[in-house]
Amino acid sequence: MDAMGTATLDISIGAGLTREQAEAIFSQGQEAVVFALLELAKRLAEAQGKRHPSTTLSTPSGMVPVYEKPAAKGRGKKRPGAKKGHPGWRREKPPRIDRQAEHQADHCPECGGRLKPCAETRIRYIEDIPDVQPEVTEHTIHRDWCPRCQKKVEPPVVDALPGATLGNRVLVLSAWLHYALGNTLSQIVEVFNFHLQMKISAGGLIAMWGRLQAILFAWYEEIQKQALQSAVLHGDETGWRVNGKTHWLWCFCTRDLTYYMIDRARGSPALAKFFIEEFSGTLVSDFWGAYNAVACALRQTCLVHLLRELEHTEKYKSPGNNWPAFAKKLRRLLADAIRLWRRKAEMPPEEYASRRARLATRLQGLIATDWNDVHAKRLIKRLRRHQNDLFTFLDQKDVPFDNNHAERCIRPAVIIRKNSYGNRSQRGADCQAVLMSVFRTLKQRGHDPIRTVINAIEQFLLTGQLPPLPTKSTADS
């Protein structure tokens, strides 16, 4: 029986269904009953605001429709903002007054009547951006004869790159908008063309950024060198597209620097390009096998990734009966290690060393146990391979138990990837890596990235040498 059959019987499946109509459906056989039950379930689901499994939608399989997502749960926190009675926060008074204006009404704005002058006034400060008009400077460059060099020479012009008609501020501001903030090329062109009243083209910007990359490449190499000399280095990677092909964006970072590298490989060949020498510090990473090829003094693998793996296995892998006991022991082991790390400062050294040794014993016991579950065996293999890398954070200063710092540093690049969809050439990918690294590192060190880069370009044009990469700002420390 199908929908045509129900129409023939003139039966409406729903709340008004009578016993006689139900018996009529039953008399049609099994197919009629199944159809009626499915139709009833579908209508019940629609009434409850849910989608029945038999209903087809155009939503991709990897997405959950908005109307099917559960309401966000409250975080249990109090109302946001300061407590009642707390003094309010206001914008500070501007340190400089550029223009003054007086306002006095000639009639009442409410009734239109005449006003009597009073001596009372009030002050209000308004900060705004003035109308922008590009400044065009005509440079008259004198050429003079040098008897020693036997040729005519001229002084360098530091306001723009050689042969460029756009100044350094336009160059650095546009590059910062694209490689630091993630604005698309078309958005930057519109900002300059309409707000800044400066006509530029996308091709001209790309050519300028390539020249800027060549100038700042010395800083890029300096960031790599300082990363390899750091005590603790975080590493992570994510997908990237170059000319429609899959590449990988590698991120290596510390507290005050970030080094990005875009490469075709996700394995040890890419890591060999960064780790040009043995790393004497502690490498913090996830469990990706390529990091095992890095020659380093110590390692710390991310315990949060291990906890996520337990949750993912329980949710999607359908583990066996032996799994709960294994997962419980591993969770307790990791939780005890993190708890010990947080209480280290308030614990006597002897007690801390005793508990640290006990954790190592528990880990060896967990590895030595013969687990029957296939997923437990898979994770035991991982634990055996990284048994010396799980608890490094308990022994080394400033080493965390997670790789959260690398994930935070790679996040700005991921946002840029969503806007630009990668690069169209390897040359563009190299420029992306260099300028993202420079701008991100300057921000981490508390410097104004635009002003810092402009000053560096001026010094480069004047002396032919790029100044050293700025260290951490004293005002930020």
Side-chain angles (χ1 to χ4, degrees):
M1 184 177 181
D2 53 11
M4 186 63 71
T6 58
T8 304
L9 292 174
D10 193 20
I11 296 176
S12 176
I13 301 175
L17 186 67
T18 63
R19 181 180 181 85
E20 291 77 11
Q21 292 175 333
E23 291 176 350
I25 295 175
F26 181 77
S27 64
Q28 296 293 324
Q30 179 181 355
E31 299 240 349
V33 176
V34 172
F35 174 80
L37 291 175
L38 289 176
E39 185 69 19
L40 189 60
K42 179 180 177 182
R43 295 187 182 184
L44 182 61
E46 291 175 352
Q48 295 177 349
K50 299 179 180 180
R51 181 174 66 87
H52 191 261
S54 62
T55 305
T56 58
L57 294 174
S58 59
T59 305
S61 59
M63 297 174 58
V64 178
V66 176
Y67 54 82
E68 284 195 2
K69 291 183 177 179
K73 296 182 180 179
R75 300 194 176 187
K77 294 184 178 180
K78 298 180 180 179
R79 184 177 178 180
K83 295 181 179 180
K84 189 175 181 180
H86 191 280
W89 293 94
R90 297 176 178 271
R91 186 176 181 86
E92 296 182 358
K93 178 183 175 181
R96 184 188 72 256
I97 305 298
D98 300 308
R99 187 169 63 93
Q100 292 181 329
E102 290 192 10
H103 305 273
Q104 187 170 11
D106 54 2
H107 62 273
C108 178
E110 296 185 3
C111 68
R114 297 178 61 182
L115 299 175
K116 288 186 176 182
C118 301
E120 181 181 353
T121 61
R122 73 182 184 94
I123 302 297
R124 179 185 177 188
Y125 299 99
I126 298 177
E127 295 182 78
D128 201 354
I129 300 175
D131 290 335
V132 179
Q133 181 68 30
E135 182 183 75
V136 180
T137 304
E138 180 183 43
H139 293 267
T140 302
I141 306 171
H142 291 273
R143 292 182 174 180
D144 298 306
W145 178 260
C146 176
R148 179 179 297 179
C149 299
Q150 292 294 307
K151 65 178 181 180
K152 291 183 178 181
V153 297
E154 60 183 42
V157 178
V158 299
D159 293 344
L161 299 182
T165 57
L166 295 178
N168 295 331
R169 289 184 180 86
V170 175
L171 167 63
V172 179
L173 175 61
S174 61
W176 177 73
L177 290 173
H178 186 64
Y179 295 105
L181 302 187
N183 294 110
T184 63
L185 194 58
S186 59
Q187 290 172 340
I188 296 173
V189 170
E190 289 190 8
V191 167
F192 277 89
N193 286 351
F194 298 110
H195 173 64
L196 301 179
Q197 302 298 317
M198 178 172 289
K199 300 299 180 182
I200 60 176
S201 64
L205 284 179
I206 293 175
M208 289 172 57
W209 294 342
R211 298 180 67 183
L212 179 62
Q213 177 231 349
I215 294 175
L216 298 180
F217 189 77
W219 278 5
Y220 183 66
E221 292 181 320
E222 198 169 345
I223 294 173
Q224 178 186 11
K225 181 179 179 181
Q226 293 180 9
L228 294 174
Q229 295 173 350
S230 61
V232 181
L233 182 65
H234 301 253
D236 200 6
E237 78 289 332
T238 186
W240 198 267
R241 300 287 284 180
V242 177
N243 196 23
K245 298 180 181 179
T246 300
H247 284 59
W248 300 94
L249 173 72
W250 294 85
C251 174
F252 302 97
C253 55
T254 67
R255 291 181 177 179
D256 60 352
L257 64 83
T258 299
Y259 181 92
Y260 296 108
M261 180 179 67
I262 300 175
D263 196 83
R264 188 76 170 90
R266 196 191 178 191
S268 55
L271 290 170
K273 296 179 182 179
F274 176 76
F275 291 97
I276 54 179
E277 58 187 44
E278 183 177 354
F279 181 56
S280 59
T282 302
L283 177 63
V284 184
S285 67
D286 54 21
F287 291 93
W288 177 237
Y291 293 106
N292 298 331
V294 178
C296 59
L298 296 170
R299 303 176 190 271
Q300 172 62 54
T301 48
C302 180
L303 300 189
V304 176
H305 277 76
L306 199 55
L307 293 172
R308 289 177 190 163
E309 182 67 24
L310 293 175
E311 182 180 355
H312 184 269
T313 301
E314 293 171 351
K315 193 172 182 179
Y316 299 107
K317 301 292 186 180
S318 301
N321 298 330
N322 201 230
W323 169 264
F326 166 77
K328 184 178 181 180
K329 283 191 174 184
L330 182 54
R331 279 197 178 97
R332 282 186 175 180
L333 176 63
L334 300 181
D336 290 343
I338 296 173
R339 189 180 301 111
L340 177 62
W341 172 71
R342 288 173 175 166
R343 297 178 55 189
K344 181 178 181 179
E346 57 188 45
M347 191 176 296
E350 298 78 10
E351 182 181 356
Y352 180 83
S354 175
R355 295 194 179 190
R356 169 67 178 89
R358 200 179 310 163
L359 289 174
T361 304
R362 289 169 58 186
L363 176 61
Q364 294 301 322
L366 184 65
I367 295 175
T369 304
D370 187 16
W371 302 96
N372 296 327
D373 185 79
V374 61
H375 298 291
K377 290 182 178 180
R378 172 173 57 85
L379 290 182
I380 285 295
K381 184 178 179 180
R382 179 182 299 181
L383 295 177
R384 185 178 294 111
R385 183 185 303 116
H386 297 282
Q387 56 184 311
N388 296 325
D389 310 333
L390 296 176
F391 299 143
T392 306
F393 71 101
L394 295 175
D395 306 323
Q396 300 295 321
K397 185 180 178 181
D398 297 330
V399 176
F401 61 85
D402 57 24
N403 199 26
N404 187 43
H405 182 66
E407 293 179 347
R408 287 181 179 273
C409 288
I410 208 172
R411 179 175 173 80
V414 172
I415 296 175
I416 293 175
R417 180 186 64 189
K418 291 181 178 180
N419 294 335
S420 61
Y421 304 106
N423 303 105
R424 298 185 63 180
S425 65
Q426 187 59 49
R427 181 179 178 183
D430 295 339
C431 183
Q432 183 95 34
V434 171
L435 296 184
M436 281 199 310
S437 301
V438 170
F439 284 128
R440 178 71 183 176
T441 300
L442 291 177
K443 179 181 179 181
Q444 287 178 267
R445 298 186 175 187
H447 295 278
D448 178 358
I450 298 177
R451 171 49 53 190
T452 303
V453 174
I454 289 176
N455 292 339
I457 294 175
E458 291 177 354
Q459 184 169 342
F460 175 81
L461 295 176
L462 192 62
T463 64
Q465 295 282 339
L466 196 66
L469 179 67
T471 58
K472 193 171 183 64
S473 173
T474 55
D476 187 64
S477 58

